[in-house]
Amino acid sequence: MAGIHEYRDLAVAVRDSQSDVGEGPVFDPRTGRLAWVDSYGCKIFEDDLSTGEHTVTDVGTMVGAVAPRQDGDGFVAAVANGFGFVVDGKLDLVDEVLPEPRLRMTGAKVDSRGRFWAGSNDMNFAPEQGRLHRWDGESPSVVVADGLVLPNGLGWNAEDTVMYLADSYANLLYRADFHPEPGTLGPLDVLAETEGPGVPDGLAVDVDGCFWVAMFGGREVRRYDPAGLVVGVVPVPAHQPSSCVFGSDGRLYITSARNGLSDEELARFPLNGSVFVVETGTTGVPVQPFRA
């Protein structure tokens, strides 16, 4: 593919897992551990990649993503029906913004000011039911954007002036001007319409202005430039890469899912549901902890 860098080394597994829908990887600056979730399995995982220590917390409900806290123990969490905190293995639901059982929270990330942003969607992926929410841990969350399908991966450029957003089942990548102090967005403009295989899921932004998108069902992670053009492809030995995050060493860590796969697909890719890593030659925009 002309103009597209093909990463010839496959991403390799750093955690052999049978997670149903691995999602939301984030590094915890308090411990150096990689935290991630099994959304349908209702679990939070923490991995010490230097020692191999692996801990599991059962949240008791679907969990879209978590993030480490700056001023408290445990994690902030986007769970099935809203926002809360998980401390000592217990979920404290603080903002029940989605009481309807047909709705759930999906991917989430913390911005430069320590606010938690998360997408929500209809469980049947009904059009125009997806929303983008922002929560500071104190006041009720607010809806920043609506009319989406499955808002999933999100992130900000190094200059903190642009937010990127993937709407999975619309096969769209958006950009919006970002105003960091008030935490507001300009209009969501379509940056690219993705082509298969797969649909765009979680993403991570690098310091060179590009962003990396896990293609769920596509067995790859794509690197897009700020104009929305594919400039790199990482093959992944799993059918459903789901999200990604940069470590401090510049390596990209990739979660995956095994939910919905056939026996043949599971046999062909036995590491479905695991976490992978690949060298990228760049580094990521730092992801901040939640401020509350």
Side-chain angles (χ1 to χ4, degrees):
M1 291 178 283
I4 298 178
H5 180 74
E6 295 185 64
Y7 293 81
R8 303 212 175 267
D9 293 331
L10 275 177
V12 297
V14 292
R15 166 58 59 189
D16 186 350
S17 173
Q18 301 291 303
S19 61
D20 202 28
V21 181
E23 269 286 4
V26 61
F27 276 91
D28 189 338
R30 302 168 299 182
T31 63
R33 293 181 174 186
L34 175 67
W36 52 292
V37 305
D38 183 347
S39 294
Y40 287 8
C42 308
K43 294 179 177 63
I44 302 171
F45 302 122
E46 295 176 73
D47 281 293
D48 187 321
L49 300 177
S50 62
T51 66
E53 182 181 357
H54 178 71
T55 62
V56 182
T57 300
D58 193 328
V59 182
T61 185
M62 290 179 65
V63 53
V66 299
R69 301 173 67 188
Q70 176 178 290
D71 299 321
D73 296 329
F75 296 92
V76 62
V79 296
N81 49 350
F83 297 105
F85 300 104
V86 178
V87 180
D88 295 328
K90 304 294 184 181
L91 171 64
D92 176 19
L93 183 65
V94 178
D95 187 5
E96 189 178 5
V97 66
L98 299 176
E100 307 98 322
R102 66 182 180 83
L103 303 176
R104 58 131 188 190
M105 289 290 180
T106 57
K109 197 165 290 181
V110 177
D111 70 13
S112 62
R113 302 302 193 267
R115 297 164 298 221
F116 202 38
W117 296 65
S120 67
N121 69 281
D122 181 278
M123 291 289 288
N124 293 317
F125 310 114
E128 300 188 356
Q129 297 302 302
R131 297 173 180 173
L132 181 63
H133 308 255
R134 188 192 69 231
W135 189 52
D136 63 11
E138 298 174 357
S139 54
S141 59
V142 297
V143 174
V144 181
D146 58 13
L148 303 163
V149 182
L150 177 53
N152 228 326
L154 55 92
W156 297 264
N157 66 351
E159 295 76 22
D160 213 19
T161 57
V162 173
M163 173 189 273
Y164 297 107
L165 176 69
D167 190 342
S168 297
Y169 283 167
N171 290 294
L172 294 175
L173 300 174
Y174 291 100
R175 72 163 311 280
D177 291 337
F178 179 63
H179 310 289
E181 197 57 44
T184 56
L185 297 178
L188 286 173
D189 296 323
V190 175
L191 184 62
E193 183 171 355
T194 64
E195 297 180 357
V199 300
D201 202 330
L203 65 82
V205 186
D206 67 35
V207 296
D208 298 315
C210 297
F211 58 104
W212 304 66
V213 182
M215 298 299 295
F216 192 91
R219 302 189 296 275
E220 65 186 27
V221 173
R222 296 178 188 169
R223 188 188 192 199
Y224 286 84
D225 71 8
L229 300 176
V230 180
V231 294
V233 174
V234 177
V236 179
H239 193 73
Q240 298 176 148
S242 54
S243 190
C244 53
V245 66
F246 282 97
S248 59
D249 57 1
R251 297 198 295 173
L252 190 70
Y253 294 81
I254 305 161
T255 53
S256 65
R258 56 193 292 113
N259 179 268
L261 295 179
S262 66
D263 291 342
E264 179 182 352
E265 289 167 326
L266 291 171
R268 184 180 177 194
F269 297 98
L271 291 174
N272 282 301
S274 296
V275 179
F276 305 87
V277 65
V278 67
E279 298 284 352
T280 64
T282 186
T283 56
V285 175
V287 177
Q288 303 300 317
F290 187 63
R291 68 185 181 190

